[in-house]
């Protein structure tokens, strides 16, 4: 059962998969929306420019049926007139043709947006596989496309039939009307029929556009296993990443341990915390934390300090505060300057004692602010926002 559920495509396509599909030229498209947009543009263009276009055609027709003596006996003059008439008609049709061409190029982008993919131009010999071709012919998508084609045929035929049936008397009357009057009536009849048919196709386009987007998203759904595999490929295998982080922590710990022998003092808890401090006399800046750790790491720091004769000082509150509020190579906080200064003074006095001086008193009451100690209740209190 678990294997069956994993094999089902229940997860929405990830952005990476959708982007890969776009790179391969696979995007949602709706032919119905594009067809409707082109037909509406053609109808609107004819409605706006129809008068001037018809006038130009009438002028060209009249000019073509009129011949004078010069044109009859001089073919060059006749050819020039024909060229001018044809050029005038083409020029009159140019705005409408340009508008239709522009909409024909832009309309497909209404669903799916603009996309250019060079991979779409690459030959795909899998499309020549007859087995795949037969499978596509009997697929659900092919059935839906067939139903759409039948629906369009029925809609267009039904609308045309209803319009013509309602205008039967007007259609029959065209035969007995004068040419000028019948031409106007015929134009009105064709315009109404065209608008009704395009309006019906607009309803189909409103349905087909969202359907194509839904079909595209449904086609690119993923199984849980595909989601996991993609996550591993993009973010890396969690086990490998964990191993890398572990190795990085180990390397950082090793570098930190190499700094312990150079420290001036190691402040301890005494068992749970250990923080190694170093102060370079004559250089600007406060003492720095060169190593810190808890439990096993703290024990290793203390061991290295003893092996390298680095001073150890038991100061629980200061050790906890330094561990909590500093990172490796950070300078100590200003609020701990006083306490650390006493510790370093003690360490330097011990060194002088070994050279023949007086043995100093171990500092026991270091000035550690209560809010700096993580075990002190004062550090858990939130600041009063009314002050």
């Amino acid at each position: 059962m678990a294997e069956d559920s994993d094999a089902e495509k229940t997860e929405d396509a990830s952005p990476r998969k959708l982007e890969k599909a776009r790179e391969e030229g696979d995007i949602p498209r709706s032919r119905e929306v594009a067809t409707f947009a082109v037909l509406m543009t053609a109808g609107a263009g004819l409605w706006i420019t129809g008068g001037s276009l018809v006038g130009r055609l009438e002028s060209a027709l009249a000019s073509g049926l009129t011949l004078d003596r010069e044109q009859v006996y001089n073919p060059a003059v006749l050819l020039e007139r024909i060229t001018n008439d044809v050029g005038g008609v083409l020029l009159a049709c140019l705005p409408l043709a340009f508008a239709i061409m522009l909409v024909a190029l832009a309309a497909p982008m209404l669903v799916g947006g603009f996309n250019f993919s060079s991979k779409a131009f690459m030959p795909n010999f899998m499309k020549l596989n007859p087995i795949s071709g037969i499978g596509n012919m009997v697929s659900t998508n092919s059935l839906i496309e067939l139903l759409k084609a039948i629906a369009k045929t029925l809609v267009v035929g039904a609308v045309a039939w209803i319009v013509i049936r309602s205008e039967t008397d007007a259609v029959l009357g065209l035969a007995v009307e004068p040419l000028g009057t019948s031409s106007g009536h015929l134009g009105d009849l064709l315009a109404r029929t065209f608008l009704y048919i395009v309006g019906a196709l607009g309803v189909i386009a409103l349905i087909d556009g969202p359907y194509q987007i839904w079909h595209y998203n449904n086609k690119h759904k993923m199984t849980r296993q595909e989601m996991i595999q993609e996550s591993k490929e993009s973010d890396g295998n969690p086990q490998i990443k964990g191993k890398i982080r572990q190795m990085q922590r180990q390397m950082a710990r090793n570098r930190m341990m190499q700094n312990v022998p150079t420290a001036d003092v190691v402040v301890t808890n005494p068992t749970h915390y250990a923080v190694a401090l170093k102060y370079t006399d004559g250089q600007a800046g406060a003492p720095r934390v060169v190593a810190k750790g808890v439990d096993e790491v703290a024990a290793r720091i203390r061991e290295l300090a003893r092996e390298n004769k680095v001073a150890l000082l038991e100061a629980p509150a200061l050790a906890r505060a330094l561990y909590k509020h500093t990172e490796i190579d950070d300078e100590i906080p200003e609020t701990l300057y006083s306490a650390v200064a006493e510790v370093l003074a003690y360490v330097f006095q011990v060194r002088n004692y070994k050279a023949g001086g007086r043995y100093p008193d171990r500092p026991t009451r270091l000035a550690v602010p209560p809010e700096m100690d993580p075990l002190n209740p004062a550090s858990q209190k939130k600041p009063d926002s009314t002050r």
Side-chain angles (χ1 to χ4, degrees):
M1 294 295 292
E3 294 178 357
D4 293 341
S5 62
D6 287 342
E8 294 178 357
K9 293 186 176 183
T10 58
E11 307 297 325
D12 291 336
S14 64
R16 183 184 178 189
K17 183 173 183 179
L18 293 178
E19 182 64 27
K20 185 177 180 181
R22 292 185 69 89
E23 291 175 357
E24 295 176 353
D26 185 5
I27 53 177
R29 287 288 188 243
S30 174
R31 288 194 295 268
E32 314 308 327
V33 173
T35 302
F36 172 73
V38 172
L39 289 176
M40 282 298 296
T41 302
L46 286 173
W47 188 276
I48 296 172
T49 64
S52 61
L53 183 59
V54 170
R56 187 62 191 176
L57 289 173
E58 290 179 350
S59 176
L61 180 61
S63 177
L65 297 176
T66 303
L67 297 176
D68 56 24
R69 181 181 179 84
E70 183 181 6
Q71 294 170 356
V72 172
Y73 290 99
N74 190 345
V77 176
L78 178 61
L79 180 62
E80 181 181 359
R81 192 189 70 175
I82 294 174
T83 303
N84 292 335
D85 291 340
V86 173
V89 172
L90 293 177
L91 187 62
C93 295
L94 185 61
L96 178 60
F98 179 77
I100 294 175
M101 181 185 67
L102 186 63
V103 173
L105 294 175
M109 292 184 289
L110 294 175
V111 178
F114 175 78
N115 185 59
F116 177 80
S117 173
S118 59
K119 294 183 180 180
F121 295 99
M122 301 298 293
N124 186 0
F125 296 103
M126 290 298 297
K127 294 182 179 180
L128 301 178
N129 189 342
I131 298 178
S132 300
I134 295 173
N136 292 331
M137 291 175 59
V138 298
S139 64
T140 304
N141 189 52
S142 298
L143 177 61
I144 293 174
E145 292 297 326
L146 176 61
L147 294 176
K148 281 167 47 180
I150 295 174
K152 285 191 294 183
T153 303
L154 293 176
V155 167
V156 171
V159 171
W161 170 257
I162 292 172
V163 174
I164 295 175
R165 184 67 180 269
S166 64
E167 300 288 345
T168 302
D169 295 337
V171 172
L172 296 176
L174 293 175
V176 296
E177 290 182 358
L179 180 60
T181 305
S182 63
S183 298
H185 289 172
L186 179 61
D188 291 339
L189 179 62
L190 292 177
R192 285 199 303 272
T193 305
F194 179 83
L195 290 176
Y196 288 137
I197 292 175
V198 173
L201 292 178
V203 175
I204 296 177
L206 288 175
I207 298 174
D208 187 66
Y211 166 76
Q212 292 298 337
I213 297 175
W214 173 85
H215 175 71
Y216 178 81
N217 293 329
N218 189 64
K219 180 179 68 172
H220 288 285
K221 278 189 173 182
M222 306 170 66
T223 63
R224 291 187 178 182
Q225 184 60 36
E226 288 175 337
M227 294 287 290
I228 295 173
Q229 184 63 30
E230 183 182 276
S231 178
K232 288 182 179 180
E233 292 175 356
S234 59
D235 300 332
N237 192 311
Q239 296 179 350
I240 297 177
K241 291 177 64 178
K243 186 67 175 178
I244 293 175
R245 285 195 295 267
Q246 182 180 357
M247 294 176 62
Q248 291 174 340
R249 287 194 295 269
Q250 184 63 37
M251 293 173 63
R253 184 180 301 174
N254 293 337
R255 289 194 299 268
M256 181 183 69
M257 293 302 180
Q258 294 175 0
N259 295 329
V260 174
T262 66
D264 293 314
V265 62
V266 173
V267 183
T268 66
N269 191 36
T271 56
H272 296 295
Y273 293 84
V275 181
L277 301 176
K278 180 177 180 60
Y279 176 70
T280 303
D281 192 16
Q283 292 186 1
R288 293 182 177 272
V289 176
V290 296
K292 70 173 188 174
V294 295
D295 299 332
E296 295 181 0
V297 178
R300 180 57 180 162
I301 291 175
R302 293 194 299 271
E303 181 181 351
L304 287 174
R306 294 190 186 97
E307 292 176 358
N308 293 275
K309 296 181 173 54
V310 177
L312 288 165
L313 179 65
E314 183 177 326
L318 179 60
R320 292 192 297 265
L322 288 170
Y323 183 86
K324 175 68 175 179
H325 299 286
T326 59
E327 298 295 337
I328 304 300
D329 291 331
D330 283 355
E331 292 185 356
I332 63 171
E334 294 184 6
T335 52
L336 298 178
Y337 278 4
S338 177
V340 173
E342 290 188 52
V343 171
L344 291 176
Y346 167 74
V347 171
F348 295 147
Q349 289 174 4
V350 170
R351 292 177 183 175
N352 292 334
Y353 166 76
K354 293 179 179 180
R358 185 182 70 84
Y359 192 84
D361 297 328
R362 179 183 294 269
T364 57
R365 299 181 61 86
L366 298 174
V368 177
E371 64 274 9
M372 297 292 289
D373 186 357
L375 296 186
N376 194 302
S379 66
Q380 306 300 325
K381 295 182 179 179
K382 296 182 180 180
D384 190 352
S385 59
T386 61
R387 294 183 179 179

